Amino acid sequence: MDDLTDRPLAGITLRLLSGILFTAMMVCVKATSTVSPLGQTVFFRSAFALLPIVVFLAWRREFPAGLATRRPAGHLLRSGLGAAAMFASFAAVALLPVAEATLLAQLTPVLMALGGVILLGERFTPYRAGALLLALVGVAVLVLPRLGAGGAPVMGYALGVLAALLSAGALLTVRRISRTETAGAIAFYFILVSALAGLATLPLGWAALTGPELGLLVLSGLFGGAAHICMTLALRYAEASRLAPFEYLALIWPVLADLAIFGLPPSSGFLLALPLVLAGAGLAALEGRGLRRPARQ
């Protein structure tokens, strides 16, 4: 589908749209976090994300033929890490403002760069050292003012960092299996495994939800699936280097959502940590573009 390449304006538009959709998904998750158990939330978010993804794959004539795989173990590892990351991320957003949980997710490229050194034998370059230092200082600026208070925020930060670590592991696995596996297959099996992991928590007890609560959980899945499709198309229309600045612009939407919906203004720690964490993520991404062509995920 070469006709889809080299359309930067379309790519940028889709990247911005994916940020809005991702924020909408997180808002739905946070809004239901007090009534829906974590596993129930993960199930609905994953099961209903399958709908737009299957439609998208069918439109690209990749369903079901595109789901054939030569790396089932690789899919299982990637999907297991991704599902665990989803559990940790949703637990974090239940305890933190959406903007802070989203900021912690920006640690993923930094942790990927570090994981490349530890797991794949890649060089520990000045770019990676700088990215790690900026990210660590950013997290410290965000977390240290809240340590004295203890309780939910500190646990939320720990879960947010854990989610970023698990996501980095999942994406490192994607880097390896994407040589033989399609992006559609990788996304489909991840969502399927996540839905099954959420369903496995049913014996622990799910909540009886009202119509609006159920609607929000369904929307979380539809928004999440649509966000993934927009990101996939954005990477087809434009190079990652052109999209990078808009990765960080996407943090505007969580801040606005916190203010408008949850009445949570950004904390001073968040405002101080924001440029540090984003600079670290930017350094990690900059090196990645210099070393290799970005893998489509």
Side-chain angles (χ1 to χ4, degrees):
M1 300 181 70
D2 293 336
D3 58 312
L4 289 181
T5 60
D6 197 23
R7 295 174 60 185
L9 182 58
I12 290 167
T13 301
L14 285 163
R15 177 61 190 98
L16 291 173
L17 180 57
S18 74
I20 295 172
L21 290 167
F22 179 79
T23 298
M25 180 201 77
M26 297 292 274
V27 166
C28 292
V29 169
K30 186 170 183 63
T32 56
S33 62
T34 57
V35 294
S36 174
L38 184 58
Q40 186 175 10
T41 300
V42 169
F43 170 78
F44 276 93
R45 183 267 184 250
S46 302
F48 283 92
L50 281 173
L51 296 178
I53 287 176
V54 167
V55 170
F56 176 65
L57 293 177
W59 172 67
R60 291 175 60 178
R61 300 181 181 178
E62 294 180 4
F63 186 87
L67 302 183
T69 176
R70 289 182 283 171
R71 304 285 294 275
H75 281 290
L76 185 61
L77 177 60
R78 181 271 183 268
S79 300
L81 289 169
M86 188 182 296
F87 273 87
S89 175
F90 288 0
V93 83
L95 300 173
L96 298 174
V98 175
E100 293 189 2
T102 305
L103 179 62
L104 290 173
Q106 297 296 323
L107 295 173
T108 298
V110 179
L111 295 172
M112 278 186 69
L114 185 61
V117 174
I118 297 172
L119 300 176
L120 305 179
E122 297 173 356
R123 291 188 304 117
F124 188 63
T125 64
Y127 278 106
R128 297 189 186 202
L132 181 61
L133 178 62
L134 286 167
L136 289 174
V137 173
V139 171
V141 167
L142 179 65
V143 174
L144 288 177
R146 308 290 288 273
L147 282 181
V154 175
M155 178 59 70
Y157 295 137
L159 288 165
V161 172
L162 176 61
L165 181 62
L166 291 166
S167 295
L171 292 175
L172 284 171
T173 306
V174 168
R175 186 192 297 177
R176 296 179 72 89
I177 67 174
S178 61
R179 298 168 187 168
T180 60
E181 308 301 297
T182 67
I186 293 170
F188 179 85
Y189 290 122
F190 159 55
I191 295 298
L192 180 62
V193 168
S194 298
L196 293 174
L199 184 62
T201 67
L202 178 60
L204 301 178
W206 283 7
L209 302 174
T210 65
E213 292 163 352
L214 182 61
L216 286 172
L217 287 181
V218 171
L219 283 175
S220 75
L222 296 176
F223 286 145
H228 180 87
I229 292 167
C230 288
M231 178 62 79
T232 298
L233 286 176
L235 289 169
R236 290 181 65 84
Y237 281 125
E239 294 180 353
S241 57
R242 290 186 175 181
L243 297 178
F246 301 94
E247 299 278 339
Y248 313 132
L249 184 62
L251 275 163
I252 292 175
W253 315 125
V255 172
L256 293 177
D258 280 333
L259 280 170
I261 299 172
F262 302 110
L264 298 172
S267 66
S268 58
F270 171 83
L271 295 175
L272 291 172
L274 180 63
L276 294 167
V277 173
L278 293 186
L283 271 181
L286 179 64
E287 184 196 39
R289 289 195 298 275
L291 292 177
R292 57 190 174 274
R293 293 175 65 86
R296 290 192 177 112
Q297 298 166 4

